[in-house]
Amino acid sequence: MHKCKICGYIYDPNIGDPTQGIEPGTPFEDLPPDWRCPVCGIPKDDFVEID
């Protein structure tokens, strides 16, 4: 899982991101380069990996 450094949103690959058409089972690494946090809008480069 990956966590947004700004707002704390957690991207869970088991859930995906239905707000942006990301299917469940999509690994963070496979998100499109222009994907952004659905809560605060920062780019995926500003996420950190968490266990």
Side-chain angles (χ1 to χ4, degrees):
M1 288 191 279
H2 287 74
K3 181 177 180 180
C4 175
K5 291 192 276 185
I6 303 300
C7 72
Y9 168 81
I10 295 177
Y11 177 77
D12 183 343
N14 295 317
I15 298 171
D17 179 8
T19 68
Q20 298 183 59
I22 305 298
E23 295 290 326
T26 303
F28 186 81
E29 296 76 19
D30 291 346
L31 292 173
D34 61 347
W35 181 85
R36 294 183 166 268
C37 176
V39 176
C40 70
I42 67 164
K44 70 184 257 187
D45 291 344
D46 291 324
F47 276 67
V48 292
E49 188 170 3
I50 59 172
D51 291 329

